[in-house]
Amino acid sequence: MWLMSENIKGRVYDIQGYSVHDGPGIRTTVFLMGCPLTCLWCHSPESQNYDFQLSWFDMRCIGTVKCGLCINVCPNSALYEREPEKSLIDNSTITKINIDRSKCDNCLACTKVCPANALVPSGYDISLEDVFKRIIKDKKYYGKDGGVTISGGEPMEQFEFTYAIAKRCKESNLTVCVDTTGFAPGENYEKILPYVDLFLFDLKHMDPKRSRNFVGVDNELILENAKLIAKNGGKLQIRIPTIPKLNASMENMMKTADFCKDLGDAVTMIQLLPYHNMGTTKYLRIGLNYKLVNVDPPSDEEMQSYLDLMLSYDLPAQIH
Ligand code: SF4
Ligand code: SF4
């Protein structure tokens, strides 16, 4: 039997209550840090690194006249005053800071002195016990369909922690979803399967070369794991982020439909997720540039054509 430490801790970037987009019903979603993929459209870039990074919330800074503490503690002189500007709150003049990311080594010293939470680490460590307390606090909202979703990042990267949360929740009669890229050792999917009601499983591209170009890894392991979960009696909600110029084509959707058809009854739903670029400010917060600036969301007609295709295969499908 596989043994697990009771005092286990994990690294999360957020725990979100009342979530309605991460599986059936109303759920609490635990977002873990660390992901082996580098999807060009990633909506949570702060989750890609397991290591903490410096996050910057410009609006919260109270200015160097009232504060300025961060500049004094930075060991690398990466923080400096920028030109005075009008405050959006009361129209007074305020002098905020800038970060020279080329000098910043993410030591996080500035986050420990910032009184306004303008400079914060991208995540935090938390024990299994504290995650579970947070989950139980929301239990009254779950109803018949809702429960807990373990997401990321890629939650299977912190496998021991993800396994521990899933087991603890299942043993407390909560329903458990794991939101996964599918890129993790197959044996770990087999281990966790008894404690998971539904895998929210991303299928991003059926072509191995394009998969490498768009998400940074080959799709072979991902497709093998979808088959493995189906073969072992697991349930899959397939999620397809639908991104013009990248994976939104009839050819890719037909290949995806063929693949899903072969997974049989394991597939409870195929969700087509229209691309949007609302998360781009998150990139600026951690000092990165968003790469898909020239990609627009797909039209309603285009999304409908992909939905019609899935339905023509007699697959359960929806635009989400
Ligand atoms: S995290 Fe970066 S900006 Fe902040 S104190 Fe460390 S080096 Fe300076
Ligand atoms: S410590 Fe925080 S509030 Fe103070 S100047 Fe720096 S960023 Fe602004």
Side-chain angles (χ1 to χ4, degrees), residues 136-148:
I136 285 298
K137 195 158 81 71
D138 291 348
K139 195 179 171 186
K140 54 185 174 293
Y141 301 118
Y142 297 157
K144 181 168 67 67
D145 298 327
V148 180

Side-chain angles (χ1 to χ4, degrees), residues 129-287:
E129 211 43 52
D130 285 345
V131 170
F132 190 68
K133 273 188 207 150
R134 175 68 179 77
I135 288 167
I136 285 298
K137 195 158 81 71
D138 291 348
K139 195 179 171 186
K140 54 185 174 293
Y141 301 118
Y142 297 157
K144 181 168 67 67
D145 298 327
V148 180
T149 297
I150 313 167
S151 182
E154 169 49 67
M156 299 292 279
E157 281 283 287
Q158 294 188 53
F159 179 66
E160 208 183 330
F161 193 54
T162 294
Y163 179 94
I165 299 171
K167 185 168 185 287
R168 184 74 189 268
C169 290
K170 202 77 209 116
E171 287 170 352
S172 303
N173 295 319
L174 300 174
T175 71
V176 176
C177 293
V178 169
D179 181 6
T180 181
T181 63
F183 196 81
E187 64 193 65
N188 287 350
Y189 287 101
E190 288 181 292
K191 276 183 197 155
I192 204 171
L193 213 139
Y195 306 111
V196 178
D197 297 279
L198 181 66
F199 289 91
L200 312 179
F201 198 101
D202 290 359
L203 285 182
K204 287 158 178 164
H205 215 299
M206 298 305 288
D207 179 85
K209 187 162 169 244
R210 290 193 177 150
S211 175
R212 275 195 297 279
N213 289 343
F214 300 149
V215 310
V217 300
D218 208 314
N219 61 1
E220 193 184 339
L221 178 64
I222 296 168
L223 302 182
E224 284 308 313
N225 281 331
K227 289 191 239 172
L228 184 77
I229 291 169
K231 193 180 103 194
N232 285 290
K235 295 292 177 198
L236 294 155
Q237 184 179 94
I238 302 293
R239 307 182 111 191
I240 310 173
T242 307
I243 305 154
K245 302 183 191 172
L246 269 64
N247 69 346
S249 70
M250 273 298 174
E251 185 196 358
N252 186 47
M253 292 296 169
M254 279 165 77
K255 285 185 181 164
T256 310
D258 278 331
F259 180 79
C260 290
K261 200 71 193 157
D262 287 345
L263 296 173
D265 291 345
V267 176
T268 62
M269 181 57 70
I270 296 175
Q271 289 192 327
L272 296 160
L273 313 171
Y275 167 75
H276 65 77
N277 51 16
M278 286 184 290
T280 53
T281 51
K282 290 183 173 185
Y283 283 77
L284 298 177
R285 259 183 229 157
I286 53 169

